[in-house]
Amino acid sequence: KDAIAERTSLIPDALLDLEESSAILAADAMKPSEECDHRAAALAKLGAPPFRKFIKERGNISDFERGPCKVLQLNVGLYCNQACNHCHVESSPLRKEMMSEE
């Protein structure tokens, strides 16, 4: 209980976890096509169908309609002071990729 009370930050633990799994999370660890296959296989193991199949079987495609763009998001780098599991670009404190000034 005292050890929990003394803890003031989870950042050191998160950074250690990121460093230990950096080979798996590294941007060049897999080719994009391999990464897609890897993710599809992981979802299949969980019984989750591919998105297009799910929509085709359960969704009403006629209800989907492209609308005007309301938000434009530009990611200029992958460095972030957080490492969220849900991050769509897999940013973290270990990622150093940045857009060039050119």
Side-chain angles (χ1 to χ4, degrees):
K1 187 174 179 181
D2 292 331
I4 294 172
E6 291 177 17
R7 183 181 294 250
T8 59
S9 174
L10 295 175
I11 292 173
D13 291 337
L15 287 173
L16 180 61
D17 184 48
L18 283 169
E19 288 172 5
E20 290 173 353
S21 61
S22 63
I24 297 167
L25 299 174
D28 59 352
M30 284 187 221
K31 294 177 184 175
S33 59
E34 292 172 352
E35 183 178 0
C36 287
D37 293 342
H38 175 76
R39 289 176 185 234
L43 288 172
K45 282 183 185 178
L46 297 173
F51 179 73
R52 291 178 191 270
K53 183 177 179 182
F54 179 84
I55 293 298
K56 190 174 187 178
E57 292 175 354
R58 295 183 183 94
N60 186 350
I61 299 298
S62 64
D63 290 346
F64 290 100
E65 189 175 304
R66 185 180 298 257
C69 180
K70 296 179 181 176
V71 175
L72 175 64
Q73 178 176 329
L74 179 64
N75 298 315
V76 297
L78 297 177
Y79 175 79
C80 182
N81 65 339
Q82 299 180 54
C84 304
N85 287 339
H86 62 273
C87 182
H88 70 286
V89 293
E90 297 179 353
S91 294
S92 80
L94 300 178
R95 301 292 297 267
K96 305 299 182 204
E97 301 92 338
M98 297 293 283
M99 183 182 289
S100 70
E101 293 182 16
E102 296 173 354

